[in-house]
Amino acid sequence: FNKNGELKFDNISLKERVYLFPDNDTTKPFANVEIDFTYPKSFNNREDLARLQEIFNGTFFNNQALGSLSPEEALDTYLKGYSEEYREIGNQYYEDMGNLEGDNQPSWYWYQLHKSNEVLFENESILSYSVDHATYTGGAHGSLQVLYYTIDLKNITTITEEDIFIPNYHQTLTTKIVDNLMKKYEVNSPEELLNEGFFDVNDIAPNNNFWISNEGVNYIYNQYEIAPYSMGPIEVTIPYEEIQSIIIPESLAGKQIK
C-alpha cells in the first residue's frame, strides 16, 4: 500500500434494548440488539472509499439500499427498520397473554439480534471478511448465519466463483470440497460423512459462500444447509494446490498461488 492510499478501518458498536411497545415499558418484552460494525475509514481516494463503504454497508446490513449512506446513517436506518418490524408483533401480544394462565407472559416475544463482521485476510489486492448474523425470535433455539465476502481492491467489486474458476469447474470443486470434509471429519468415504451427521453427500456443492487467503479457498455451510443445527456452521478450506487446474491463472486466487 502506498502511504496515502492505505486501507484503514473504524468501528461502530451498539448495545440497545428495543421494547415491544413504544412507551418502553420495562415490564414488557424487548429485543436485545448488539451490533459491532467494522468499516473502511480511509482508502485510496474519496471515490474509492465511498464504493468500498457501499459494499460494506450493503453486505453487513443485507440491504443494498443502505449502501449510499454513511456507516452511522446505515446503522440508524437498519435499527429503525428492525424496531418497526419487531413492534409489529405487539399487536398479537395481549391476545396471547389472554390465553395464558395468571400473569404469565408469552416468553416467545423476547428477541435477540447480534450482528458483527471481521476482516479475515487483506493484502494490496484482496480484502476478505465475514458477516455474522445471529438471531433469536422466540423459538426452540436461535439461528446463526455466516456470510463470506472477498473484494477485489483494484476494481472495488465483490468476487464470485465465476471470477476465479474456469468454466465447468463445478464437479472438480465439489469433489475437492467433499474430500477435504472427509479429512476434517477423519472418515474414508463420502458415505461415512452421513454417520457424522451430514444430510446427504449430494447436497454438498460449491455455494459461493467463500473467502480467499494465502492458503486456499475457504468455504462455509450454514446451519441446515448440509447438516443439522446441532453441528453449527461447517467450514472447510480447499488448498490451492488441489484446485490449481480449475483456477483462472490471472484471477485473484490465481495470483495467490506461489
Side-chain angles (χ1 to χ4, degrees):
F1 287 13
N2 61 56
K3 264 185 188 175
N4 297 330
E6 188 177 357
L7 175 56
K8 292 182 179 177
F9 295 92
D10 206 343
N11 175 274
I12 312 174
S13 293
L14 174 147
K15 286 187 179 181
E16 194 163 312
R17 280 187 176 181
V18 175
Y19 289 95
L20 186 61
F21 299 104
D23 61 2
N24 293 346
D25 185 341
T26 57
T27 66
K28 297 292 191 297
F30 56 82
N32 258 331
V33 177
E34 292 189 24
I35 296 175
D36 191 16
F37 182 30
T38 296
Y39 61 91
K41 180 179 70 170
S42 65
F43 180 58
N44 282 357
N45 53 56
R46 196 172 293 176
E47 187 181 332
D48 287 353
L49 176 62
R51 175 65 191 129
L52 198 56
Q53 285 185 345
E54 184 179 358
I55 293 173
F56 263 70
N57 284 0
T59 54
F60 185 81
F61 297 110
N62 196 29
N63 184 349
Q64 298 306 317
L66 301 183
S68 60
L69 303 179
S70 72
E72 294 82 4
E73 289 169 335
L75 175 57
D76 289 345
T77 304
Y78 176 83
L79 183 61
K80 184 181 177 187
Y82 176 83
S83 302
E84 289 172 355
E85 200 172 298
Y86 174 58
R87 284 172 173 159
E88 281 177 7
I89 68 169
N91 300 329
Q92 184 71 24
Y93 173 77
Y94 286 106
E95 185 178 329
D96 284 343
M97 245 193 107
N99 294 328
L100 298 174
E101 292 182 7
D103 293 329
N104 291 327
Q105 295 193 61
S107 60
W108 52 93
Y109 282 85
W110 272 265
Y111 279 22
Q112 290 190 42
L113 168 68
H114 293 201
K115 279 183 83 68
S116 62
N117 63 340
E118 179 185 2
V119 173
L120 302 171
F121 179 76
E122 177 193 342
N123 64 20
E124 60 276 358
S125 56
I126 297 170
L127 175 63
S128 295
Y129 63 98
S130 63
V131 176
D132 290 18
H133 181 84
T135 58
Y136 175 72
T137 55
H141 51 68
S143 70
L144 169 64
Q145 183 187 52
V146 182
L147 296 175
Y148 287 152
Y149 298 95
T150 294
I151 297 175
D152 175 346
L153 288 176
K154 301 294 184 191
N155 299 305
I156 316 184
T157 55
T158 52
I159 66 165
T160 65
E161 289 169 352
E162 286 68 26
D163 294 316
I164 60 173
F165 295 116
I166 63 173
N168 304 315
Y169 68 88
H170 201 269
Q171 188 52 56
T172 300
L173 184 55
T174 297
T175 300
K176 293 302 180 184
I177 290 172
V178 172
D179 287 349
N180 280 280
L181 283 171
M182 286 163 51
K183 286 179 197 170
K184 180 173 181 173
Y185 288 89
E186 300 178 342
V187 299
N188 298 314
S189 71
E191 290 69 33
E192 287 179 70
L193 287 171
L194 303 183
N195 299 330
E196 300 298 317
F198 287 81
F199 292 145
D200 185 339
V201 176
N202 295 318
D203 290 339
I204 302 171
N207 63 354
N208 246 319
N209 196 359
F210 71 92
W211 63 284
I212 61 178
S213 62
N214 280 331
E215 289 74 39
V217 182
N218 310 275
Y219 276 88
I220 193 164
Y221 294 88
N222 281 300
Q223 294 161 331
Y224 298 119
E225 203 171 340
I226 58 173
Y229 172 87
S230 58
M231 289 179 70
I234 294 168
E235 299 177 69
V236 60
T237 297
I238 320 303
Y240 287 127
E241 58 265 27
E242 295 186 18
I243 48 174
Q244 189 165 353
S245 65
I246 57 169
I247 290 178
I248 300 169
E250 61 272 17
S251 70
L252 286 182
K255 291 173 182 174
Q256 292 303 113
I257 300 173
K258 302 294 188 282

